[in-house]
Amino acid sequence: MYRTHNCGELRIENVDETVVLSGWVQKIRNLGGMTFVDIRDRYGISQLVFDENVNHNFCTKARELGREYVIKTQGKVIERSNKNPKMPTGDIEILVDELTVLNKSEVPPFTIEDNTDGGDELRMKYRYLDLRRNTVKKNIILRHKMAHEVRNYLDENDFIEIETPVLIKSTPEGARDFVVPSRMNKGEFYALPQSPQVFKQLLMISGFDRYYQIVKCFRDEDLRADRQPEFTQIDCEMSFAEQEDILNMFEGLAKHLFKAIKGIDISYKLLRMTWADAMKYYGSDKPDLRFDMKFVDLSEIVKGKNFKIFDEAEYVGGICAESCAAYSRKQLDALTEFVRRPQIGAKGLVYVKYNEDGSFKSSVDKFYSQDDLKKWADVLSAKPGDLLLILSGKRNKTLTALGQLRLEMGKKLNLIDNNTFVPLWVVDFPLFEWNDDEKRYTAMHHPFTLPKKEDIDLLETNPGEVRANAYDLVINGIEIGGGSIRIHDNEVQQKMFKLLGFSREDAENQFGFLMNAFKYGAPPHGGVAFGFDRWTALFAGIDSIRDVIAFPKNNAGRDVMIDSPSTISDEQLKELGLKVTKSES
Amino acid sequence: MYRTHNCGELRIENVDETVVLSGWVQKIRNLGGMTFVDIRDRYGISQLVFDENVNHNFCTKARELGREYVIKTQGKVIERSNKNPKMPTGDIEILVDELTVLNKSEVPPFTIEDNTDGGDELRMKYRYLDLRRNTVKKNIILRHKMAHEVRNYLDENDFIEIETPVLIKSTPEGARDFVVPSRMNKGEFYALPQSPQVFKQLLMISGFDRYYQIVKCFRDEDLRADRQPEFTQIDCEMSFAEQEDILNMFEGLAKHLFKAIKGIDISYKLLRMTWADAMKYYGSDKPDLRFDMKFVDLSEIVKGKNFKIFDEAEYVGGICAESCAAYSRKQLDALTEFVRRPQIGAKGLVYVKYNEDGSFKSSVDKFYSQDDLKKWADVLSAKPGDLLLILSGKRNKTLTALGQLRLEMGKKLNLIDNNTFVPLWVVDFPLFEWNDDEKRYTAMHHPFTLPKKEDIDLLETNPGEVRANAYDLVINGIEIGGGSIRIHDNEVQQKMFKLLGFSREDAENQFGFLMNAFKYGAPPHGGVAFGFDRWTALFAGIDSIRDVIAFPKNNAGRDVMIDSPSTISDEQLKELGLKVTKSES
């Protein structure tokens, strides 16, 4: 028997019991005739005492232990004279009378401490040691709890978890597929699913009514920061449900998780904001509402004063940064630099300082009088001491840039509290977005999304204005998930494919089975998918999803621990009927 | 709103309520002025009534409905005059006052009934319709319940579910890997996991203590009947656990599932049988103990009577088939044919009839006296009226053949009750098995299995005799799962690789990271993996795992519904740096 208790559970009530513990050596301290060893396992840390006077040999043996040795120990629980209130086991220690080294350890390449001396690369190579660190371990345990609570909620609401296949069919729409060559059908390939979208719709047609799955999905994308080629989705679908039913059901899931995981009671109904308003007021389809700083449209009141840039702008909008009127030249220049960065792409920034004395100082004083500027200040609800920041240009681009500037100011002014959570639904997304490269509309969500009934007439005349029954759950500026009501009518689906530029043959080839399925009594249905890694990271209070994944890949899609991907044998290639035509130099 | 209730929940208590139901049209019957429509959803079936006298229009509309139409209906719950005690909703019906067709349906290619007229091929092509059939649907729901209960048990026992990666590294040992070409690292490939074995061991080294996962695994094998290229495993691992701890823990899981799913209380401790005994008495490492018919070794008592075949045989063994002495020539010939089939491979069958009058009639009367045969009958505990069936030859081959014959007789004599479950542990598996093709030992379980301490000395001298700390859970002749205590010592692991014929370089290349991990304090650990599809099929009372999988593949590894695998575009191939050298003609 390796243990009677784990290393985190002994308390003052256990005093005088003889216990067996097994775990890792966290720390060794020699104090005169006493040696103290901290023993660690998943559940906690306990202090072992070796008393020179009681057992000399053990003391010698204990002193020979090294960090991360695996030991088994037996002893009597005694009350500590120096209690440690910071440790759950801090009231007691174990006076050891048996010690076995189960396995030695070399000195780890970095310290197994919350603040380690190991860099990213090293920690990834030795991920199994990195996972021993409490800061990483607790994220993985949090992830488990999240999955558990997701299942609890959905099970209680009659959802059935159904596994959909991993070896499916490649479809050119969407992101790039990972493919899997078939040996039994040479020259042919399976694809790994980007999502179980089509299968969950088929399950609705099958009558499963409520489906969910916590499921791996795959996208072969050039990895931007914090993307993983394999990621996990909470994937759900409901039949005989309208948008309202779905929003309520998954608002319930969000509230359940907030309560169960974060201990936060959300008693109010979540805010719902249209996509149009989110863009108009926050320049983002995932607004961070932990702080206000709403945009004000200045397009009208700034015109007609011979300032050409504003006069010609499709849109002029501003935000009010409270108590920033005293910003220095240097600070303002930095903000201008910020909005000019290529990923933001504004041409310049106009500022107006609303001085404490009530006067105005702006970068456009040449064109605008104090009265003009007072009017701007008024519509922006600014007070003396505030700073107005104004961008102009093409509407959509400017809104987005202003959104970035708003977030930057939020950060600078410490308006963003990491312990506050503001969830909301963004609704009424556009059905299509214009792809300027391909000069055509593409589906904003996916080709199965149902247009709003009242916008159906616009499908042919003005597709860009058609709104979809599509919605996103946004928390603190992060898109946690989204979904839509699906088309369940074969004719509407065919029309959508046509609008999206699928030839009849392509549509048939790729989605023929789905369109066929629609002929046999497809119920009205809709659903949602949440980014499980992302949601866990949010609740863990960390920015990167990498640290909520046990064995993540790096930005080049490599697992540096197992050294994958790697070459395969010529024999394997031959069996697959494949030849490598070029390899990375 | 699509519904106030589902189609399975209305009872006599609901009489007089106005309800809204949505679902599929299961059946339409016209009886004089009344039309009855059965409406179906996942939860059940309710009867709708359209009364010609109450509303003529509805009656006409109802008569125009077709099977599998999706409808929404509103009406009043009334008590039936003709109650149907076989239906949970059989006490009531709904007198309809509103009817909407949500979607029409073409006539399905087969009937959506328990006994359908659709063949296998057709049902697979239209799997989404096949899944509507109660017989298939209930298996998928059972699977969900099984997963739910597995999680309940493991969560209660402090196991953490941790996702391991799907894109991993190809290793030539074991079955063939499915591989995934990497676009970002051209010429290199990921592999899909055959099991998360290495990762779960790393998680133990990380200190997660108790891990589980219900996880997809992949094997690119030539598909025998009832194999799937992707299948699901309940994968578990524990640290600081001896074999006894693991058997107890997962015996607990088995009992929990029997209770929760089948309502069967198993209060006894499961039988444990050594692999050696299982082979000796049942000729199988997965004995079906629902009936006895144990082998008796006759090797000694049959020798020395000039019957060359027995005299020269390494092994002679028999079973006693009760009350079969009256078997006809034809029946005996059929049994001989059975054991001679190539997949069984016995040369012939010796029978001894123990006639009701106490005399014996055998196929070897030339060589053996009545007294000789009486002795055989005695050691086989046969009574007058019984039939002895005897095989001989090389020991292992004969045992296996006799095992097949035993199962065949069990079936013929109706000794196998499908409602009885006899689970047992088969323990002490051999560490190695001899591969006659490659003239070398291979790991029977896998290369990480710990040999029994008392057999360690045999590793160098007689590897074939070394027993492993390995165990299988067997229920009714089916291997539900198995596992082992793992090697946690780097030196022992290296020795194993060497014995298995890995060059140091190969071992380093394939498992270097694991061997490296062993250097940093690997705890003693072990685990188990259960075939989730198999276990579900067993509990569903069906033979094929295909019917517990929502979207299975056929024996050629094809999904005939989505028509996958399929060719991919030249552009995709080019991006991957690949060329197809041969395709199936």
Side-chain angles (χ1 to χ4, degrees):
Chain A
M1 190 194 42
Y2 284 109
R3 59 189 174 194
T4 55
H5 295 76
N6 67 48
C7 298
E9 66 178 311
L10 292 171
R11 298 288 182 275
I12 194 81
E13 298 83 59
N14 300 98
V15 163
D16 283 341
E17 287 177 28
T18 294
V19 299
V20 180
L21 299 183
S22 287
W24 286 262
V25 172
Q26 176 76 17
K27 210 181 272 179
I28 307 160
R29 279 154 300 155
N30 294 307
L31 294 175
M34 311 282 269
T35 300
F36 296 93
V37 173
D38 281 353
I39 182 171
R40 184 197 74 229
D41 66 10
R42 177 182 120 200
Y43 313 92
I45 290 180
S46 291
Q47 178 165 293
L48 309 176
V49 198
F50 299 79
D51 187 337
E52 181 80 43
N53 297 318
V54 175
N55 192 324
H56 173 72
N57 281 344
F58 276 141
C59 256
T60 311
K61 216 168 155 187
R63 276 196 290 263
E64 283 165 4
L65 294 173
R67 282 194 169 215
E68 301 307 315
Y69 274 41
V70 186
I71 58 171
K72 175 180 151 182
T73 177
Q74 183 182 294
K76 209 167 99 176
V77 182
I78 57 174
E79 187 171 356
R80 281 205 211 182
S81 48
N82 264 328
K83 295 198 171 64
N84 182 348
K86 286 184 199 151
M87 288 174 72
T89 63
D91 287 352
I92 57 93
E93 56 197 2
I94 293 107
L95 188 62
V96 175
D97 56 43
E98 266 186 56
L99 174 68
T100 314
V101 173
L102 297 171
N103 217 343
K104 292 189 176 188
S105 173
E106 292 187 9
V107 177
F110 50 83
T111 54
I112 311 297
E113 304 278 357
D114 288 4
N115 289 311
T116 182
D117 55 355
D120 248 28
E121 189 71 9
L122 198 63
R123 291 196 294 110
M124 283 303 139
K125 187 164 159 60
Y126 296 90
R127 181 64 165 177
Y128 46 87
L129 297 180
D130 196 31
L131 286 168
R132 283 189 193 163
R133 295 169 55 234
N134 196 44
T135 41
V136 185
K137 183 184 76 179
K138 72 180 201 302
N139 296 334
I140 304 299
I141 295 176
L142 171 73
R143 186 184 178 105
H144 163 67
K145 283 188 193 143
M146 293 268 296
H148 183 71
E149 292 299 338
V150 167
R151 291 198 169 93
N152 278 351
Y153 179 84
L154 294 174
D155 286 343
E156 265 164 40
N157 282 285
D158 274 337
F159 284 79
I160 303 179
E161 188 166 28
I162 302 177
E163 294 171 55
T164 53
V166 175
L167 297 172
I168 64 164
K169 185 174 175 158
S170 189
T171 55
E173 191 72 357
R176 218 181 267 107
D177 285 322
F178 280 106
V179 296
V180 181
S182 166
R183 184 182 53 85
M184 290 173 78
N185 306 273
K186 285 193 187 60
E188 297 189 336
F189 296 76
Y190 302 98
L192 303 181
Q194 294 182 33
S195 90
Q197 181 64 33
V198 169
F199 291 96
K200 68 176 174 176
Q201 292 194 241
L202 290 175
L203 288 171
M204 293 304 101
I205 295 172
S206 294
F208 281 100
D209 206 78
R210 294 181 173 191
Y211 143 92
Y212 83 99
Q213 196 180 186
I214 299 181
V215 61
K216 277 275 171 78
C217 301
F218 305 86
R219 270 175 214 175
D220 183 12
E221 294 176 304
D222 296 314
L223 300 173
R224 282 179 277 155
D226 216 30
R227 290 266 182 135
Q228 289 280 320
E230 52 179 300
F231 56 97
T232 304
Q233 221 167 263
I234 306 168
D235 194 52
C236 308
E237 197 80 3
M238 295 170 74
S239 288
F240 303 115
E242 289 163 340
Q243 177 165 317
E244 189 63 26
D245 302 316
I246 293 181
L247 296 189
N248 287 335
M249 178 61 74
F250 293 101
E251 184 160 330
L253 173 63
K255 288 177 179 177
H256 176 77
L257 289 180
F258 268 110
K259 179 71 185 155
I261 304 291
K262 302 296 290 181
I264 296 172
D265 253 315
I266 299 183
S267 52
Y268 55 88
K269 202 170 156 65
L270 296 195
L271 178 68
R272 296 185 191 175
M273 186 182 288
T274 64
W275 179 86
D277 278 354
M279 292 308 294
K280 182 173 168 190
Y281 295 121
Y282 303 98
S284 169
D285 57 4
K286 37 180 193 279
D288 187 341
L289 299 189
R290 282 175 295 178
F291 66 107
D292 191 17
M293 212 186 278
K294 227 184 222 177
F295 301 177
V296 172
D297 187 340
L298 304 171
S299 305
E300 292 311 313
I301 66 167
V302 299
K303 298 214 170 171
K305 305 283 173 166
N306 294 321
F307 182 46
K308 223 173 140 189
I309 292 174
F310 280 1
D311 283 352
E312 292 175 356
E314 185 185 5
Y315 172 84
V316 182
I319 53 176
C320 171
E322 272 184 59
S323 310
C324 294
Y327 260 34
S328 65
R329 181 83 245 162
K330 201 174 153 193
Q331 283 173 302
L332 291 166
D333 284 350
L335 288 180
T336 307
E337 279 311 299
F338 175 83
V339 298
R340 276 186 173 157
R341 284 154 54 168
Q343 58 272 48
I344 297 182
K347 294 245 167 61
L349 172 70
V350 167
Y351 69 82
V352 180
K353 291 179 172 182
Y354 193 169
N355 295 319
E356 293 287 358
D357 65 4
S359 69
F360 293 90
K361 172 81 193 77
S362 85
S363 54
V364 287
D365 282 350
K366 246 196 280 184
F367 304 98
Y368 298 95
S369 69
Q370 293 280 312
D371 274 358
D372 292 335
L373 300 177
K374 179 71 171 67
K375 272 185 208 142
W376 302 6
D378 286 347
V379 295
L380 272 154
S381 309
K383 314 170 305 297
D386 292 350
L387 174 71
L388 315 185
L389 298 170
I390 300 166
L391 296 180
S392 64
K394 291 289 262 181
R395 182 181 155 86
N396 284 341
K397 212 177 152 186
T398 306
L399 285 170
T400 309
L402 197 54
Q404 294 290 332
L405 181 62
R406 172 182 174 270
L407 287 178
E408 177 72 7
M409 292 311 296
K411 268 178 233 158
K412 272 193 199 300
L413 301 178
N414 277 322
L415 301 175
I416 302 178
D417 177 4
N418 277 326
N419 295 312
T420 300
F421 294 91
V422 185
L424 77 154
W425 289 107
V426 175
V427 298
D428 296 356
F429 274 74
L431 186 62
F432 301 105
E433 57 189 342
W434 180 252
N435 185 322
D436 220 27
D437 294 338
E438 304 183 25
K439 300 285 172 218
R440 67 179 184 105
Y441 284 106
T442 58
M444 191 152 199
H445 193 54
H446 55 52
F448 312 112
T449 302
L450 185 69
K452 289 221 171 272
K453 218 185 232 167
E454 55 269 38
D455 294 352
I456 289 266
D457 289 344
L458 298 170
L459 271 177
E460 313 271 356
T461 55
N462 193 355
E465 290 294 308
V466 177
R467 290 166 306 158
N469 285 298
Y471 33 81
D472 276 357
L473 178 65
V474 172
I475 308 178
N476 293 1
I478 294 165
E479 180 207 325
I480 290 297
S484 64
I485 302 295
R486 328 298 184 184
I487 298 164
H488 66 278
D489 182 286
N490 197 25
E491 277 172 45
V492 178
Q493 187 63 68
Q494 302 256 22
K495 190 185 264 184
M496 272 297 285
F497 284 137
K498 205 176 139 196
L499 279 165
L500 290 167
F502 281 80
S503 73
R504 204 174 174 86
E505 197 195 346
D506 278 356
E508 183 57 45
N509 198 18
Q510 284 168 48
F511 301 110
F513 59 98
L514 185 66
M515 290 192 289
N516 213 19
F518 280 141
K519 293 178 194 156
Y520 296 103
H525 62 289
V528 67
F530 299 100
F532 184 55
D533 310 289
R534 173 68 50 217
W535 203 338
T536 307
L538 178 78
F539 275 13
I542 53 182
D543 288 331
S544 169
I545 63 169
R546 216 194 267 184
D547 276 336
V548 296
I549 297 173
F551 300 102
K553 293 185 177 54
N554 73 11
N555 280 345
R558 295 199 71 84
D559 182 328
V560 295
M561 180 186 72
I562 62 174
D563 190 25
S564 166
S566 58
T567 54
I568 59 174
S569 69
D570 289 344
E571 197 189 342
Q572 271 176 297
L573 282 169
K574 206 179 142 196
E575 275 195 326
L576 296 169
L578 286 181
K579 210 175 131 178
V580 171
T581 57
K582 58 179 164 190
S583 50
E584 218 71 52
S585 55
Chain B
M1 191 194 39
Y2 285 110
R3 58 189 173 194
T4 56
H5 296 75
N6 66 51
C7 298
E9 66 178 313
L10 291 172
R11 298 286 182 278
I12 194 82
E13 299 83 58
N14 300 98
V15 163
D16 284 340
E17 288 177 28
T18 295
V19 298
V20 180
L21 299 183
S22 286
W24 286 262
V25 171
Q26 176 76 16
K27 213 180 269 177
I28 307 159
R29 278 154 302 156
N30 295 307
L31 294 177
M34 311 281 268
T35 301
F36 296 93
V37 174
D38 281 352
I39 182 171
R40 184 197 73 228
D41 66 10
R42 176 182 120 199
Y43 312 92
I45 289 179
S46 291
Q47 179 165 291
L48 309 176
V49 197
F50 299 80
D51 187 338
E52 181 80 43
N53 297 318
V54 174
N55 192 324
H56 173 72
N57 281 343
F58 277 139
C59 256
T60 312
K61 213 168 157 188
R63 276 195 290 265
E64 283 166 4
L65 294 174
R67 282 195 170 214
E68 301 307 316
Y69 273 40
V70 187
I71 58 171
K72 176 181 149 182
T73 176
Q74 184 183 293
K76 208 167 97 172
V77 182
I78 56 174
E79 188 171 356
R80 282 205 210 182
S81 49
N82 263 329
K83 294 201 173 60
N84 181 349
K86 284 185 199 151
M87 284 175 73
T89 62
D91 287 352
I92 58 93
E93 55 196 4
I94 294 106
L95 188 61
V96 174
D97 54 44
E98 265 185 58
L99 174 67
T100 314
V101 174
L102 297 172
N103 217 343
K104 292 189 176 189
S105 174
E106 293 187 6
V107 177
F110 49 85
T111 54
I112 311 296
E113 302 278 357
D114 287 4
N115 289 310
T116 181
D117 55 354
D120 247 27
E121 189 72 9
L122 199 63
R123 291 196 294 109
M124 284 302 137
K125 187 164 159 60
Y126 296 90
R127 180 64 166 177
Y128 45 88
L129 297 179
D130 195 32
L131 286 168
R132 282 188 193 165
R133 295 169 56 234
N134 196 43
T135 40
V136 185
K137 183 184 75 176
K138 71 180 201 304
N139 296 335
I140 304 298
I141 295 176
L142 171 72
R143 186 183 177 106
H144 164 67
K145 283 189 193 144
M146 292 270 293
H148 183 70
E149 292 299 339
V150 167
R151 289 198 170 93
N152 278 351
Y153 179 83
L154 294 175
D155 286 343
E156 266 166 38
N157 282 285
D158 275 337
F159 283 79
I160 303 178
E161 188 164 28
I162 302 176
E163 294 172 54
T164 53
V166 175
L167 297 172
I168 63 163
K169 185 174 175 158
S170 187
T171 56
E173 191 70 357
R176 218 181 267 105
D177 285 320
F178 281 106
V179 296
V180 180
S182 166
R183 182 183 52 86
M184 290 175 77
N185 306 273
K186 285 194 185 61
E188 298 189 335
F189 295 76
Y190 303 98
L192 302 181
Q194 296 183 33
S195 91
Q197 181 64 33
V198 168
F199 290 96
K200 68 176 173 176
Q201 293 195 241
L202 289 175
L203 288 172
M204 294 303 103
I205 295 172
S206 295
F208 281 100
D209 207 79
R210 292 180 173 191
Y211 143 94
Y212 83 99
Q213 197 179 185
I214 300 181
V215 62
K216 277 276 173 74
C217 301
F218 306 86
R219 271 175 214 173
D220 183 12
E221 294 176 303
D222 296 316
L223 300 173
R224 282 179 278 155
D226 216 28
R227 289 265 183 137
Q228 288 281 321
E230 52 179 301
F231 56 96
T232 304
Q233 219 167 266
I234 307 169
D235 194 53
C236 309
E237 197 80 3
M238 296 169 75
S239 289
F240 303 115
E242 288 162 340
Q243 177 165 318
E244 188 63 28
D245 302 316
I246 293 180
L247 296 189
N248 287 334
M249 178 62 72
F250 293 101
E251 184 160 331
L253 172 64
K255 289 176 179 177
H256 176 77
L257 290 179
F258 268 110
K259 179 70 186 157
I261 304 292
K262 302 297 288 181
I264 297 173
D265 253 314
I266 299 183
S267 51
Y268 56 86
K269 202 172 156 65
L270 296 195
L271 178 68
R272 296 187 191 174
M273 186 182 287
T274 64
W275 178 87
D277 277 355
M279 292 308 294
K280 182 173 169 187
Y281 295 120
Y282 303 98
S284 169
D285 57 4
K286 38 179 193 280
D288 187 339
L289 299 189
R290 281 176 295 178
F291 66 106
D292 192 17
M293 213 186 279
K294 225 185 225 176
F295 301 177
V296 173
D297 187 340
L298 304 170
S299 305
E300 291 310 312
I301 67 169
V302 299
K303 297 216 171 170
K305 305 282 172 167
N306 295 321
F307 182 45
K308 224 173 137 187
I309 290 174
F310 280 1
D311 284 351
E312 291 174 357
E314 186 185 4
Y315 172 83
V316 181
I319 53 176
C320 170
E322 273 186 59
S323 310
C324 294
Y327 260 35
S328 67
R329 181 83 245 164
K330 199 173 154 194
Q331 283 174 300
L332 290 166
D333 284 350
L335 289 180
T336 305
E337 278 311 300
F338 175 82
V339 299
R340 276 186 174 155
R341 286 156 52 170
Q343 58 272 48
I344 297 182
K347 294 245 166 59
L349 172 70
V350 167
Y351 70 81
V352 180
K353 292 179 171 183
Y354 192 169
N355 296 319
E356 292 287 356
D357 65 4
S359 69
F360 293 90
K361 171 82 192 80
S362 84
S363 54
V364 288
D365 281 349
K366 244 197 282 183
F367 303 97
Y368 297 95
S369 68
Q370 292 281 312
D371 275 357
D372 291 335
L373 299 177
K374 178 71 170 67
K375 273 185 207 142
W376 302 5
D378 286 347
V379 296
L380 272 155
S381 310
K383 313 169 305 298
D386 292 351
L387 173 71
L388 315 186
L389 298 169
I390 299 167
L391 296 179
S392 64
K394 290 289 263 182
R395 181 180 155 89
N396 284 340
K397 212 177 153 188
T398 307
L399 286 169
T400 309
L402 197 54
Q404 295 290 331
L405 180 62
R406 171 182 174 270
L407 287 178
E408 177 71 8
M409 291 312 296
K411 268 178 235 159
K412 274 193 198 300
L413 301 177
N414 278 322
L415 301 176
I416 301 178
D417 177 3
N418 277 326
N419 295 312
T420 299
F421 294 91
V422 185
L424 78 152
W425 289 107
V426 175
V427 297
D428 297 356
F429 274 75
L431 186 62
F432 300 105
E433 56 188 345
W434 180 251
N435 184 321
D436 221 27
D437 293 339
E438 303 185 26
K439 300 288 174 216
R440 67 178 183 105
Y441 283 106
T442 57
M444 190 153 199
H445 192 55
H446 55 53
F448 312 112
T449 302
L450 185 69
K452 288 221 174 270
K453 218 186 232 169
E454 54 269 39
D455 293 355
I456 288 268
D457 289 346
L458 298 169
L459 271 177
E460 311 272 354
T461 55
N462 193 353
E465 290 294 308
V466 177
R467 291 166 306 158
N469 285 297
Y471 33 81
D472 275 359
L473 178 67
V474 172
I475 307 178
N476 293 2
I478 294 166
E479 181 207 324
I480 291 296
S484 64
I485 301 295
R486 327 299 184 186
I487 298 165
H488 66 277
D489 181 287
N490 197 26
E491 277 172 44
V492 178
Q493 188 63 68
Q494 302 257 20
K495 191 185 260 182
M496 273 296 286
F497 283 137
K498 205 176 139 194
L499 278 164
L500 291 167
F502 281 81
S503 73
R504 199 170 179 91
E505 197 194 342
D506 279 357
E508 182 58 42
N509 198 19
Q510 283 169 49
F511 301 110
F513 59 98
L514 184 66
M515 290 192 289
N516 214 18
F518 280 142
K519 293 179 194 157
Y520 297 103
H525 62 288
V528 67
F530 299 100
F532 184 55
D533 310 290
R534 174 67 51 217
W535 203 338
T536 307
L538 178 79
F539 276 14
I542 53 181
D543 287 331
S544 168
I545 63 169
R546 217 193 269 183
D547 275 337
V548 296
I549 297 173
F551 300 102
K553 295 185 174 56
N554 73 9
N555 280 345
R558 294 200 71 85
D559 183 327
V560 295
M561 179 186 75
I562 62 173
D563 190 23
S564 166
S566 59
T567 54
I568 59 174
S569 69
D570 289 343
E571 197 188 344
Q572 270 176 297
L573 282 169
K574 206 179 141 195
E575 275 195 325
L576 296 169
L578 287 180
K579 210 175 134 179
V580 171
T581 57
K582 56 179 166 192
S583 50
E584 219 71 50
S585 56

